[in-house]
Amino acid sequence: MNNKILSCVLFLAGLVSTNYQSRADDARPLKSVVESAFSFAEKQSLLMAEKYKDQVGRLPRTYEKGKDISSDSRWWCSGFFPGSLWYIYENKRNQDILKYAELYTDRVEREKYTTDNHDVGFMIYCSFGNGYRLTKNKKYEEVMLTAAKSLSTRYKPQVGLIRSWDHNKENWQYPVIIDNIMNLELLLWASDYSGDEKFKQIALSHADKTIQHHFRPDYSSYHVVSYDTISGIPHLKQTHQGFSDESSWSRGQAWGLYGYTYLYRETKDQRYLQQAKNIANYLVNHPHMPEDYIPYWDYNSPDIPNTYRDVSAATLMASALIELSEFVDKSLAQKYMQVVETQIRTLSTPAYTAKLGENGCFILKHSVGSYPAKSEVDVPLTYADYYYLEALSRLKKKI
Ligand code: GLY
């Protein structure tokens, strides 16, 4: 075999090996799967917490080519590891986990002043928000309220949405990404907490305009919509992390599902419930959804099935579907929970769950940050772990 053919064979073998068809055949009740997953997460996350405890200001980001990669609090994911520790603490009541949850949450505090991007919601609500939910620590209230004020500065009434990014990569005038739907939960909390309706008005205006402009007739969503700052109507609809402008980037679809589910929980507005159900229907019945319900990184990748799964899209979807199942009729709820059970059982097998001390001490393997940018492809990511733990936590309450 000449070298060219050999490298082609190796390349294809590498791709095929990313197709983790690992339907879980674990006969244990789901409750035991959830309990074991929490026990493993507790041990693995303690190792992670110990690894970074003396590296002042650092937080885990990923693990790539055998190397730990960390970030400071500026990275959009800084709140997820502290948030994961809070979920583990909630379910295991381990005092060391509590100590580390507080330590790593404090490392994110400066982001309450973030006004140069929309990610302040992710950073502060996943860390301080969970900490506040569990401890009612008064200090956390101030951090969250300051963060909500910072996020609100990015709202422009002429457009009616919060601006996601300040850079103008593709001639964007006012880029809004579907991910931004996740940041509104902080504003809804701030409105309830402070009594200031302004936060809620911003959140709901953003949610409504996103329904209007971000979704296609089949309820898939664009990644980036850029608005004309004078007319307030979209002038570009594109992708940044997906396969193409018209494709369905998997994590983006899951952000939308999660977003409209909590928007319904918080407002009881039927339009949000309908939107969440429509997105769920699109995803659950998608012809390119694998039978283990761990999505490929983009539903329209031309390389399916020989391309990467995105575990972060699966964990987000699982967590959202558990909540959505509370709001729909029995047969739909059963359908959603069958999907969730398949996802959780699959993710909890060695095909996706790391071994103790391996995988840079992350829990899950095989996520994709940005395939087009060749960044964080087939690696562990903090948010995949975070939404897995949230899903486990929701599941534990339900069963
Ligand atoms: N919010 C960025 C991402 O989902 O990759």
Side-chain angles (χ1 to χ4, degrees):
M1 207 182 287
N2 73 28
N3 278 354
K4 224 169 176 178
I5 297 174
L6 179 64
S7 42
C8 186
V9 168
L10 289 176
F11 174 73
L12 288 173
L15 284 181
V16 171
S17 75
T18 62
N19 191 20
Y20 315 101
Q21 288 289 357
S22 66
R23 274 301 288 274
D25 49 9
D26 184 343
R28 289 178 303 163
L30 188 57
K31 201 171 179 326
S32 315
V33 173
V34 170
E35 288 302 345
S36 317
F38 267 123
S39 298
F40 173 72
E42 180 184 22
K43 291 191 216 106
Q44 185 83 330
S45 302
L46 271 175
L47 292 178
M48 180 74 99
E50 278 154 18
K51 177 156 60 179
Y52 287 108
K53 71 175 192 295
D54 298 322
Q55 296 187 34
V56 180
R58 304 305 292 177
L59 293 126
R61 174 173 164 175
T62 186
Y63 176 75
E64 213 162 357
K65 298 189 185 102
K67 283 207 179 89
D68 291 324
I69 299 177
S70 66
S71 75
D72 62 17
S73 65
R74 298 294 294 144
W75 180 236
W76 74 275
C77 304
S78 57
F80 291 120
F81 179 61
S84 290
L85 293 173
W86 284 117
Y87 276 122
I88 298 168
Y89 172 65
E90 181 177 11
N91 287 281
K92 301 302 283 186
R93 296 286 153 183
N94 176 323
Q95 293 306 305
D96 288 331
I97 292 277
L98 171 61
K99 182 187 77 185
Y100 284 128
E102 289 170 341
L103 175 84
Y104 286 98
T105 293
D106 286 346
R107 286 190 185 176
V108 185
E109 182 175 348
R110 76 178 288 276
E111 300 313 319
K112 68 186 176 186
Y113 298 121
T114 291
T115 55
D116 63 357
N117 68 70
H118 68 148
D119 291 321
V120 60
F122 280 116
M123 299 190 241
I124 298 296
Y125 204 64
C126 298
S127 54
F128 285 90
N130 277 305
Y132 182 68
R133 183 174 63 79
L134 294 173
T135 65
K136 297 287 173 272
N137 182 336
K138 294 302 269 181
K139 190 194 139 195
Y140 292 1
E141 292 174 358
E142 177 278 317
V143 175
M144 289 159 72
L145 193 58
T146 304
K149 287 180 187 160
S150 300
L151 182 58
S152 303
T153 64
R154 300 188 61 75
Y155 178 78
K156 195 174 168 78
Q158 296 93 309
V159 184
L161 293 114
I162 296 164
R163 183 177 179 137
S164 295
W165 297 323
D166 283 350
H167 60 85
N168 180 24
K169 201 163 169 230
E170 316 261 355
N171 296 323
W172 298 323
Q173 287 188 36
Y174 194 95
V176 178
I177 60 174
I178 187 66
D179 324 28
N180 204 340
I181 205 77
M182 300 295 287
N183 293 308
L184 310 179
E185 203 170 356
L186 172 70
L187 298 183
L188 296 179
W189 172 85
S191 196
D192 275 356
Y193 171 76
S194 66
D196 187 344
E197 283 286 311
K198 184 193 75 203
F199 295 116
K200 188 168 180 180
Q201 283 158 9
I202 291 174
L204 301 190
S205 170
H206 188 105
D208 293 349
K209 294 260 162 153
T210 300
I211 289 185
Q212 212 181 332
H213 297 303
H214 241 99
F215 288 87
R216 307 184 183 103
D218 63 0
Y219 299 101
S220 65
S221 54
Y222 289 93
H223 184 198
V224 188
V225 175
S226 177
Y227 292 80
D228 182 300
T229 49
I230 297 168
S231 68
I233 57 171
H235 70 103
L236 282 174
K237 295 190 178 189
Q238 297 184 322
T239 197
H240 187 58
Q241 283 159 254
F243 167 68
S244 70
D245 291 345
E246 290 300 326
S247 76
S248 296
W249 172 53
S250 300
R251 193 163 53 256
Q253 312 311 306
W255 290 137
L257 173 67
Y258 190 109
Y260 285 100
T261 302
Y262 84 71
L263 280 157
Y264 175 70
R265 179 223 305 146
E266 293 300 319
T267 63
K268 296 288 172 269
D269 184 329
Q270 289 296 323
R271 289 172 314 130
Y272 299 149
L273 177 58
Q274 196 52 51
Q275 189 71 10
K277 284 165 68 178
N278 288 339
I279 301 168
N281 184 49
Y282 172 81
L283 294 178
V284 165
N285 299 308
H286 198 289
H288 290 167
M289 176 65 90
E291 63 172 51
D292 61 9
Y293 292 99
I294 313 298
Y296 296 97
W297 69 277
D298 191 299
Y299 289 94
N300 301 103
S301 164
D303 300 325
I304 289 174
N306 296 319
T307 192
Y308 299 99
R309 305 299 186 92
D310 179 10
V311 160
S312 74
T315 60
L316 252 171
M317 186 178 159
S319 186
L321 285 180
I322 298 167
E323 176 155 68
L324 189 56
S325 72
E326 299 290 322
F327 307 138
V328 297
D329 66 49
K330 213 169 150 192
S331 70
L332 204 48
Q334 264 173 0
K335 170 76 190 151
Y336 293 164
M337 291 311 295
Q338 277 164 4
V339 171
V340 169
E341 178 161 355
T342 306
Q343 290 174 318
I344 294 297
R345 284 186 180 276
T346 304
L347 293 171
S348 305
T349 63
Y352 288 96
T353 292
K355 291 203 179 88
L356 190 65
E358 295 185 0
N359 198 37
C361 302
F362 286 85
I363 300 164
L364 297 174
K365 306 179 271 188
H366 306 312
S367 288
V368 175
S370 177
Y371 185 87
K374 296 189 173 44
S375 165
E376 300 176 337
V377 176
D378 198 25
V379 295
L381 289 168
T382 49
Y383 42 102
D385 285 1
Y386 174 87
Y387 290 105
Y388 176 59
L389 292 165
E390 184 180 81
L392 292 173
S393 203
R394 288 177 171 181
L395 208 45
K396 193 169 156 176
K397 289 191 181 114
K398 207 175 160 82
I399 47 180

